Each structure stands twice: as structure tokens, then as C-alpha cells.
Amino acid sequence: MLLRKQNSFFSDLIKNKAFLILLLPAIIYIVIFAYLPMTGIILAFKRYTYAGGIFGSPWNGLRNFNFFFKSGHALIVTRNTVLYNLLFIVFNTILQVTVAILITEVGGRYFKKITQTMMFLPYFISWVVVSVIAFNLLSYDVGIINTVVKHLGGEKISFYSEQKFWPFILTFFQAWKGVGYGSIIYLAAIMGIDTEIYEAARIDGANVFQRIFKVTIPQLRPTIIILFLLAIGGIFRGNFDMFYNLVGRNGLLYSATDVIDTFTFRALMTNSDFGMSAASGLFQSVCCFITILIANKLIKMYEKDYALF
């Protein structure tokens, strides 16, 4: 039986060798840039020295994890990372699906092309440039918002010293930059829906809103769930570029905006301890792995076909 299975396996390889050759560059890329770097995980359990390198440095046990859990900031930055990502996932999903549906329903080919292009452009803007835009909007002295508020007779708002504004600010800029790219995926899914379903709905007297809620959104549900699961896989990883560039080294905002990535970066810059940063990265990876397993299990209980594995 085993020999028969082996022969069947090798015969399948020979039969599909053309496809395997086409797949080979992708496999090599994944192995080099995804699997080989995983050997660096051992840095989380070593006291790194430049002389010893990754494999020659002495073992350090679990001491590299002490800086994170004994710093007094572990709970705060972990909470911020998870809550911000949940907020981004929910808000972006709703916004991206809404934008994709609106683009589909709005008539005019040229209007659609111009709208898609305008929304897609922010995706290519660096977070450094976005931070400059944010500063020119939010600055207490020269910001556009405070200039308008002062002109109208109101009191200026100190955005860079008030923590309560930043969940909204970060969510806004994250959505503004990513909504165009994310909506394209849902737009492609909408284009793949059988037009006969819409025609049948029109014949039955369904208006545009009924077609959206009874046809489009149910048909988008598999795509929404798969993208949700993929996003959940990074729920313990903060968008370092966004948080670091928009907030910077503003200590007044740390308790409301600090995430694991920015906290680890500052600690690394202060202590130059590579083992410490590796331990933080391993903690994030393990938490993300456990989270996606749980989420996938729950989805599997609800609808087996929508699960990733």
C-alpha cells in the first residue's frame, strides 16, 4: 500500500512537472525570505554578542523576555496593539465593502476610473509624507484645523498633547491610506458575482438597496471572512511605520498610542539588545499564531467552507 502511494506521488510529480517548474521561483522565494530567517528565533533565548553571532552567542534562557513583562508596560502596549488592530479591521472592512459597492452601483465609466485612481493614490504615499500632512493639519501653532478654529473664534486644540483624539486620528489616516487598495479586492469579488442573480432580483422587483443587502453582501461573505482571518493573523503586530511616524517620540501620547513594535524599537535603540527584540518578536508571533488558530476554529464551526484550513 505504501509503495503504491509513493509511486502515485512520483507519477503525479512527473505528470505535473511543467506546473511545478512554474511554481519553483515562488517556492525558492518563500524558503529564502520566510523559512530560513526563522532560524533567528533562537536569538530570543541567547545573549547576543557580535563576536559569537547568532549561533555562537551564549544561551540566556528566558531572561530576554524579562524586559517586556517586568517593564510595567507589557499589558498597556499589548492592549493598545490588539484594540487598534480590531478597530482597524472592523472599520476598514465596513468602509472598503461600502466603497466597492458604491463604485459598482454608481454609473459612468470615466467617473469610476477617476474615483478608483484618486482613492488608490494614498496607498503609495510614504508614512513619512503622511506624518507631514498630519502635522500641517493638527499642529497647535500652524495647523489648518486650529487656524480655522481660531478664525471662527474658538479655542485651539492641542492634538499632540491630548490622548483622547488619537484613536480617531490613527483610524482616519490608516483608513484614508488603505481604503483604495482594500476596496479593489472586494470590487473584484463583486465583478465575479453572476449577473443573472441581479437580473432575477430586478425582475422580482428588488430595488438597489435590496439587491445590495440580499445579493451583493451575502455573495461577499466568503471574501470578507477570509480577509478577516488573514488580518487576525497579525492582530498582535502594530503598523510600526504609521505609529512611529505619526506619534514619534511624543511621551505624552505613549499610554494611548504605544504598541509592541514601537516599544520594542525604543528599547532596542536604548539598550542595543538584539535578544530582547527577538524575544518580543517571538511573543508577537506566538500570540498571532494562537489567535488565528482560535479564529479559524470558530469560523470552521460556523461554516466549514470559509475556514483557511
Side-chain angles (χ1 to χ4, degrees):
M1 181 66 71
L2 181 61
L3 182 61
R4 186 182 300 172
K5 288 183 178 179
Q6 289 178 344
N7 290 335
S8 176
F9 173 75
F10 287 114
S11 63
D12 287 340
L13 287 181
I14 295 172
K15 183 179 178 181
N16 299 294
K17 60 182 179 181
F19 298 105
L20 293 173
I21 292 172
L22 291 174
L23 187 62
L24 191 60
I27 295 175
I28 294 173
Y29 177 86
I30 293 296
V31 170
I32 293 176
F33 293 102
Y35 284 96
L36 289 181
M38 288 178 67
T39 57
I41 288 174
I42 63 173
L43 268 179
F45 308 99
K46 288 197 169 191
R47 182 171 58 83
Y48 181 80
T49 61
Y50 290 99
I54 295 177
F55 300 103
S57 298
W59 292 97
N60 203 21
L62 297 176
R63 294 177 185 174
N64 289 330
F65 294 88
N66 290 344
F67 95 96
F68 186 65
F69 294 104
K70 292 185 178 181
S71 64
H73 300 285
L75 182 61
I76 295 174
V77 296
T78 304
R79 177 204 65 189
N80 288 346
T81 306
V82 173
L83 291 181
Y84 271 118
N85 279 321
L86 283 175
L87 182 62
F88 295 159
I89 291 170
V90 173
F91 187 78
N92 285 354
T93 300
I94 295 173
L95 190 60
Q96 289 166 7
V97 170
T98 303
V99 168
I101 292 173
L102 289 176
I103 291 175
T104 305
E105 295 295 333
V106 172
R109 186 179 63 177
Y110 294 106
F111 177 80
K112 287 183 179 181
K113 288 184 176 181
I114 293 172
T115 304
Q116 286 180 265
T117 303
M118 293 299 293
M119 287 192 303
F120 198 64
L121 282 176
Y123 178 77
F124 297 100
I125 299 176
S126 167
W127 279 111
V128 177
V129 177
V130 175
S131 68
V132 175
I133 295 172
F135 181 80
N136 282 279
L137 286 172
L138 306 174
S139 173
Y140 186 83
D141 296 318
V142 297
I144 295 173
I145 294 177
N146 278 319
T147 301
V148 174
V149 169
K150 183 180 179 181
H151 181 73
L152 296 175
E155 294 185 4
K156 289 184 176 182
I157 305 170
S158 183
F159 289 104
Y160 285 95
S161 61
E162 294 286 343
Q163 298 179 1
K164 61 184 179 182
F165 299 114
W166 281 88
F168 304 99
I169 294 170
L170 292 169
T171 303
F172 170 79
F173 281 106
Q174 205 273 344
W176 173 74
K177 197 172 185 297
V179 66
Y181 179 81
S183 63
I184 286 177
I185 300 174
Y186 293 109
L187 191 61
I190 293 173
M191 295 301 177
I193 299 174
D194 191 349
T195 55
E196 292 183 358
I197 302 176
Y198 289 106
E199 292 299 329
R202 287 191 184 94
I203 293 172
D204 290 338
N207 59 35
V208 63
F209 294 105
Q210 289 173 329
R211 292 197 300 270
I212 289 171
F213 288 102
K214 298 295 184 179
V215 178
T216 306
I217 293 179
Q219 292 291 321
L220 284 177
R221 188 167 58 181
T223 304
I224 293 172
I225 292 175
I226 291 172
L227 292 178
F228 171 78
L229 284 173
L230 293 175
I232 283 290
I235 198 169
F236 283 90
R237 296 191 180 278
N239 188 336
F240 174 80
D241 290 340
M242 179 184 70
F243 284 97
Y244 187 76
N245 282 292
L246 289 179
V247 179
R249 295 179 177 270
N250 188 346
L252 296 173
L253 303 176
Y254 281 168
S255 61
T257 62
D258 210 12
V259 292
I260 297 174
D261 303 76
T262 52
F263 174 77
T264 304
F265 175 77
R266 289 198 310 275
L268 177 62
M269 291 297 99
T270 302
N271 302 323
S272 298
D273 191 339
F274 294 98
M276 172 195 68
S277 59
S280 176
L282 181 59
F283 167 75
Q284 288 177 292
S285 299
V286 171
C287 289
C288 289
F289 179 69
I290 294 172
T291 304
I292 198 170
L293 285 179
I294 295 172
N296 189 72
K297 182 65 176 178
L298 294 175
I299 295 296
K300 205 170 186 177
M301 292 169 60
Y302 169 71
E303 181 60 59
K304 187 181 295 185
D305 294 335
Y306 294 163
L308 291 177
F309 48 86

